[in-house]
Amino acid sequence: MPNKGGTVVILVIGDIVGRPGRLAVGRFLPELRKQYGLDLVIANAENSAGGFGLTPTIADELQEMRVQVLTSGNHIWAQKEIIPYLDELPILRPFNYPPDVPGKGYLVSDGALVVNLMGRTFMNDIDCPFRAMDALLETVQPRPKVIIVDFHAEATSEKMAMGRYLDGRVSAVLGTHTHVGTIDAQIMPGGTAYVTDIGMTGPSDSIIGDEAESVIQRFLTGMPHRLSVGKGKPVLNAILVEVDEGSGQAVKIERICRYMEQS
Ligand SMILES: [Fe+2]
Ligand SMILES: [Fe+2]
């Protein structure tokens, strides 16, 4: 990473939903790179293929936009053709899936350790993310000072508990999965940057990225309704974190929200 007075600047983009989400990344990432001098760009791509999963073509497209690491979550298995690429490409699936599940849950990119974890409250009952993270921090080699965690979870309490549990041991714990950005971006007492949810990058006329009417029908009828990507102006939601390279502590956290002019 280039040294700018001993800090590195990292942008983490919230769940990219379908084509509108990819459009928003393409539209805003170049100017954000310039404006903030970004050293590392991470994006959660679990909904980037039509709202469900990620394909190799879309992974290439996002890499061409200079997203350096793709994280994911429960939807990573939705497009089967990505599975053979999970080992070789800079794509993460949650680390705390049971042993022998394809793919990897962490990698080092541009001097930073990036980890993807998934919560268990109101979600699949996978291995304990807290103990998984303890084990990883004890054993991982190399172990850079700068450590960024994408915590993909539903419950605000579980997310904040992870933030506090890792406070002082990692540089940032940033929530994904709910697609609803929260206003609690903060630096915790031990120096870990935290937000409960980054919010989604996708269509603004939607319910968490999906076309509103079909989601409402699901709630009204209790029956399955096919979901499609929503409409409206694409929005990019992201978190900017600046980290001291020497200590690994966060010195700044900022929410970024940009709407495209056209839908
Ligand atoms: Fe998502
Ligand atoms: Fe998710």
Side-chain angles (χ1 to χ4, degrees):
M1 279 187 180
N3 193 317
K4 288 192 297 290
T7 66
V8 290
V9 183
I10 299 161
L11 187 78
V12 185
I13 300 171
D15 305 35
I16 299 169
V17 180
R19 206 173 106 81
R22 293 174 348 244
L23 278 174
V25 175
R27 164 72 180 78
F28 294 115
L29 187 52
E31 68 186 40
L32 289 169
R33 265 195 185 278
K34 223 189 233 170
Q35 182 179 352
Y36 292 103
L38 303 177
D39 297 300
L40 176 61
V41 176
I42 303 166
N44 188 301
E46 70 151 6
N47 308 106
S48 56
F52 297 97
L54 167 67
T55 62
T57 312
I58 289 173
D60 283 349
E61 187 188 326
L62 292 169
Q63 283 188 274
E64 274 162 32
M65 293 178 194
R66 297 180 65 207
V67 177
Q68 289 140 286
V69 181
L70 301 175
T71 59
S72 67
N74 51 310
H75 287 299
I76 188 62
W77 316 112
Q79 309 288 341
K80 303 272 173 287
E81 66 261 42
I82 197 66
I83 294 174
Y85 294 90
L86 290 179
D87 283 319
E88 65 187 82
L89 294 180
I91 302 172
L92 301 180
R93 49 94 173 140
F95 175 63
N96 54 314
Y97 270 101
D100 304 327
V101 167
K104 58 194 174 297
Y106 66 91
L107 57 76
V108 174
S109 176
D110 298 76
L113 175 66
V114 184
V115 187
N116 198 180
L117 288 177
M118 194 158 85
R120 298 192 294 182
T121 306
F122 312 126
M123 297 192 79
N124 297 357
D125 198 8
I126 57 174
D127 292 351
C128 174
F130 296 89
R131 291 183 181 89
M133 195 61 195
D134 282 342
L136 179 66
L137 289 174
E138 261 171 42
T139 56
V140 68
Q141 284 300 335
R143 192 181 185 290
K145 286 279 184 194
V146 181
I147 304 175
I148 307 294
V149 178
D150 171 345
F151 189 34
H152 197 79
E154 181 76 34
T156 52
S157 54
E158 189 179 18
K159 290 164 124 172
M160 198 170 274
M162 182 63 78
R164 285 288 176 143
Y165 189 64
L166 298 178
D167 185 23
R169 296 195 281 161
V170 304
S171 311
V173 175
L174 306 173
T176 59
H177 175 70
T178 71
H179 294 199
V180 178
T182 58
I183 58 168
D184 59 341
Q186 62 191 271
I187 296 178
M188 288 183 153
T192 296
Y194 173 82
V195 74
T196 298
D197 208 286
I198 303 171
M200 64 127 188
T201 292
S204 55
D205 179 1
S206 71
I207 295 176
I208 63 170
D210 294 316
E211 194 266 316
E213 191 51 37
S214 49
V215 178
I216 292 169
Q217 285 306 317
R218 278 192 173 195
F219 282 102
L220 284 176
T221 65
M223 291 162 61
H225 276 264
R226 229 178 74 85
L227 299 180
S228 53
V229 173
K231 300 174 289 221
K233 295 177 179 175
V235 58
L236 176 136
N237 280 295
I239 286 281
L240 185 87
V241 184
E242 186 171 349
V243 180
D244 182 287
E245 279 182 305
S247 66
Q249 293 197 332
V251 296
K252 180 179 147 185
I253 180 166
E254 189 181 325
R255 295 166 63 213
I256 308 264
C257 181
R258 298 268 196 284
Y259 282 83
M260 285 177 70
E261 303 75 8
Q262 309 274 329
S263 50

